[in-house]
């Protein structure tokens, strides 16, 4: 018989319950304030449901009625400098934090009314809302109050909260971040990935799990074998507490212990609060109306109403007076926002956001780069591309303490897998962060740090194909933050990655992601083709308040080119293309390693082509002026890219060029691109799948022939 030894978890997981002594120790003022907070949330939510039933809330109305105890208990354990974020069902969390921030305790003060008014306006999609109506019910943010933003993607906000916690830790504070997630979110990759990373880095973040037993209509028991969700922490050595979420004092006591652990540098922590939403996932009907819950179950939970629990401990007349004041305030706000329309109500037209502002706040206006030095001061020498990559990062980290770098293996192997971070770990200890293999988590952490504003993270994806495992953080979070929150959030981060076509790494390591990122308003894309350009474009990226993708090509790393010897501080403005070869016969627009191949193709084919190195590739930053001026001279345009047709960047660029430049084109815009399939391992098939100099030569000759010039 084999010998077996039980393995003891490295961190405790306990259930906490209150006693009468705990209630006796709670001050009358705190008892009153907690009840008032919950009642304010309840009255607010009831108003939202009434409006939703009248079709005056556009989109979902995820009511938190029944769950007020968890949010209030959690928030009452926090200090003013602590921050929270939450999920799509986050009205109660936002209100508890915002009302606490303005000092509302037992009366509807002008500031408290302002919170209720701003939150309701946002949920109704109106201009007076916290984000001007852009965020709505699922995206409530008020950074001043420490409410970082609720999130419509299940689990999507979890990595962002860890990023806020990382900013707190690296800034030397004792503040704590709390991320509220539901039972459903504990099963999605972002949550456990982030728990693991937060534990590895001792981040001061509390994962507050609101276990309301149902992810829409699917029960916890159907979703996981381990229904004690606090037990998730044992897999990552995270201390965990389980409490009755209908008992706000129990939640407060558990949170105080969890938060104390984080403040002591021993975070993270998990608190699971067992609670119940009294209504369906969305709208004013109970779950029993949809058949997945019984009326008896709902009645049993309603009998444990957290507001009623506290109300037994305060004078009845006081509760009645406070409730009446809150409900009167909500009624007045609703009246302010609506007006009669026949037998119904409608929203007052003047409160809608101006439709002309629909595209505002997508990205920065780049005014943050206005004072940057664009002239080069120094000597030009021949250097390897990869050496310049490491050198400019060294220079920027030496001059800007906000920059931190994270990615897989970047702190080892003499600068990562390609040498891009050579010498940085030794020069800047604690700022070169080797990560677990968890792109979703560390991309989200970087996004949270960037939105915090105190740091400028630089993330390395070892291969761009890995963006798909982090797609939510890349496209739903970092790309949309500024617009969704009406410019109150920025995401100044840099994402570095390499295009590895031609290295034999196959279909899952060889994509060119430019076309994918170009579909995401909010991202800027720079693609340096020379060592000199890399310095100037990286400096621009690190000064920009938008997320910037910096594309590198493996084929360029070991190449030599003109590079600065002693000036690493100049900036190449985002949105400025470069003429790599002057010519008059045809314009070639391209980027990265295809710049050199296009120049060589023009020489080999004997075609006097003008080759434009676009350098910046996102829709907002393209240098159309340079492209137009060239096409006016040549009358023809060929768009050249190396990668596969599926994620192609050139498709939309060619379409835009055809429409913009139609009056000056003598022939349709031509394209050179790879094949339909992604490159595979076989050298022969990989070569056939990508565009090369030979393909550019053929396109140049064909364009000349079609125009009757050859």
């Amino acid at each position: 018989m084999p010998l077996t030894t039980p393995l003891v978890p490295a961190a405790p997981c306990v259930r906490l319950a209150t006693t009468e002594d705990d209630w006796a120790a709670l001050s009358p003022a705190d008892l009153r304030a907690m009840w008032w907070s919950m009642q304010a949330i309840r009255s607010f939510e009831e108003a939202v449901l009434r409006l939703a039933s009248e079709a005056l809330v556009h989109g979902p109305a995820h009511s938190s009625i029944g769950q007020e105890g968890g949010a209030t208990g959690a928030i009452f354990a926090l200090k003013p400098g602590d921050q929270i974020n939450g999920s799509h069902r986050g009205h109660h969390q936002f209100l508890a934090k915002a009302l606490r921030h303005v000092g509302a305790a037992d009366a509807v003060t002008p500031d408290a009314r302002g919170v209720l008014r701003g939150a309701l306006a946002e949920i109704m999609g109106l201009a007076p809302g916290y984000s001007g109506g852009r965020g709505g019910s699922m995206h409530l943010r008020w950074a001043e109050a420490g409410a970082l933003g609720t999130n419509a993607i299940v689990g999507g906000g979890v990595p962002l909260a860890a990023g806020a916690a990382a900013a707190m830790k690296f800034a030397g504070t004792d503040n704590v971040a709390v991320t509220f997630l539901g039972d459903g979110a504990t099963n999605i990759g972002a949550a456990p990935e982030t728990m693991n990373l937060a534990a590895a880095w001792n981040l001061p973040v509390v994962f507050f799990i609101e276990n309301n037993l149902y992810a829409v209509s699917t029960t916890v028991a159907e979703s996981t074998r381990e229904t004690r969700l606090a037990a998730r922490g044992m897999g990552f050595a995270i201390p965990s507490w389980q409490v009755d979420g209908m008992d706000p004092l129990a939640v407060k006591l558990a949170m105080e212990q969890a938060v104390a652990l984080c403040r002591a540098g021993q975070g993270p922590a998990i608190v699971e609060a067992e609670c119940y939403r009294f209504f369906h996932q969305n709208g004013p009907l109970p779950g029993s109306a949809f058949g997945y819950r019984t009326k008896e179950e709902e009645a049993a939970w309603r009998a444990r109403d957290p507001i009623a629990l506290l109300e037994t401990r305060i004078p009845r007349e006081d509760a009645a007076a406070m409730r009446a004041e809150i409900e009167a305030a909500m009624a007045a706000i609703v009246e302010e926002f609506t007006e009669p329309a026949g037998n119904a109500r409608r929203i007052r037209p003047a409160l809608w956001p101006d439709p002309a502002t629909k595209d505002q706040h997508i990205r920065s206006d780049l005014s943050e780069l206005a004072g940057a030095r664009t002239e080069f001061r120094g000597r030009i020498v021949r250097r390897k591309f990869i050496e310049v990559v490491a050198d400019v990062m060294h220079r920027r980290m030496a001059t800007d303490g906000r920059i931190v770098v994270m990615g897989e293996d970047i702190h080892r192997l003499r600068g990562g897998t390609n040498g891009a971070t050579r010498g940085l770990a030794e020069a800047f200890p604690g700022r070169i962060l080797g990560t677990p293999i968890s792109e979703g988590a560390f991309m989200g952490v970087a996004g949270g740090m960037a939105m915090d504003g105190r740091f400028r993270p630089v993330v390395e994806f070892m291969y761009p194909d890995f963006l798909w495992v982090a797609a939510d953080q890349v496209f739903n979070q970092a790309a949309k933050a500024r617009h969704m929150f009406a410019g109150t959030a920025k995401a100044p981060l840099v994402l570095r990655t390499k295009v590895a076509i031609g290295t034999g790494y196959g279909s899952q390591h060889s994509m060119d992601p430019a076309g994918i990122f170009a579909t995401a308003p909010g991202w800027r894309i720079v693609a340096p083709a020379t060592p000199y350009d890399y310095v100037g474009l990286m400096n621009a990226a690190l000064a920009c308040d938008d997320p910037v993708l910096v594309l590198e090509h493996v084929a360029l790393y070991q190449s030599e080119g003109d590079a600065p010897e002693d000036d690493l501080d100049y900036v190449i403005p985002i949105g400025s293309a470069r003429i790599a070869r002057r010519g008059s016969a045809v314009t070639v627009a391209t980027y990265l390693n295809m710049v050199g191949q296009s120049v060589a193709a023009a020489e080999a084919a004997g075609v006097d082509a003008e080759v434009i190195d676009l350098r910046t590739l996102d829709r907002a930053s393209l240098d159309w002026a340079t492209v137009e001026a060239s096409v006016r001279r040549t009358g023809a345009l060929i768009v050249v890219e190396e990668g596969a047709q599926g994620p192609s960047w050139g498709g939309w660029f060619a379409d835009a060029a055809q429409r913009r430049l139609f009056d000056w084109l003598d022939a349709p815009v031509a394209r050179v691109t790879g094949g339909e399939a992604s490159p595979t391992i076989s050298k022969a098939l990989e070569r056939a799948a990508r565009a090369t100099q030979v393909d550019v030569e053929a396109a140049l000759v064909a364009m000349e022939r079609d125009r009757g010039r050859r």
Side-chain angles (χ1 to χ4, degrees), residues 61-296:
H62 296 117
S63 163
S64 62
I65 292 176
Q67 298 185 199
E68 302 92 345
T72 295
I75 298 305
F76 271 63
L78 302 182
K79 296 195 307 186
D82 298 332
Q83 299 178 334
I84 70 164
N85 73 1
S87 68
H88 58 282
R89 190 182 313 284
H91 302 171
H92 54 324
Q93 302 146 11
F94 176 86
L95 288 172
K97 189 71 167 75
L99 290 168
R100 188 77 166 158
H101 172 72
V102 300
D106 60 2
V108 183
T109 62
D111 285 343
R113 187 184 190 280
V115 169
L116 299 171
R117 182 180 184 275
L120 186 63
E122 187 61 37
I123 290 168
M124 296 174 73
L126 307 182
Y130 280 99
S131 297
R134 296 173 186 271
S137 172
M138 298 186 288
H139 306 285
L140 293 167
R141 171 182 168 87
W142 187 22
E144 181 185 329
L148 302 178
T150 54
N151 206 291
I153 304 298
V154 173
V158 175
L160 299 176
M168 295 167 180
K169 177 177 179 176
F170 296 150
T173 75
D174 71 344
N175 292 128
V176 173
V178 181
T179 184
F180 291 89
L181 60 154
D183 47 272
T186 61
N187 300 318
I188 200 166
E193 274 192 33
T194 306
M195 289 176 183
N196 179 66
L197 183 59
W201 289 1
N202 292 326
L203 297 182
V205 57
V206 177
F207 301 92
F208 191 96
I209 303 170
E210 289 185 310
N211 181 1
N212 65 26
L213 309 184
Y214 294 90
V216 186
S217 65
T218 302
T219 68
V220 172
E222 291 175 293
S223 302
T224 180
R225 177 179 287 189
E226 176 52 270
T227 59
R228 299 167 301 176
L229 302 183
R232 294 288 194 271
M234 290 191 285
F236 305 109
I238 299 177
S240 305
W241 287 259
Q242 185 185 66
V243 295
D244 178 3
M246 310 304 271
D247 180 348
L249 179 57
V251 175
K252 178 177 180 288
L253 295 175
M255 275 293 290
E256 286 173 345
Q257 294 180 18
V259 166
L261 179 144
C262 290
R263 295 200 204 286
Q266 300 173 23
I270 290 175
V271 173
E272 177 197 358
E274 298 171 324
C275 51
Y276 201 77
R277 52 175 165 83
F278 289 173
F279 291 90
H280 178 54
Q281 162 78 355
N282 172 35
L285 296 176
S288 57
F290 298 87
Y292 65 88
R293 300 196 309 207
T294 67
K295 292 182 179 180
E296 291 75 18

Side-chain angles (χ1 to χ4, degrees), residues 12 176 214 253 293 323 332 367 392 527 547 575-576 615:
V176 173
Y214 294 90
L253 295 175
R293 300 196 309 207
R323 181 181 287 113
S367 58
V392 70
S576 57
R615 296 202 292 200

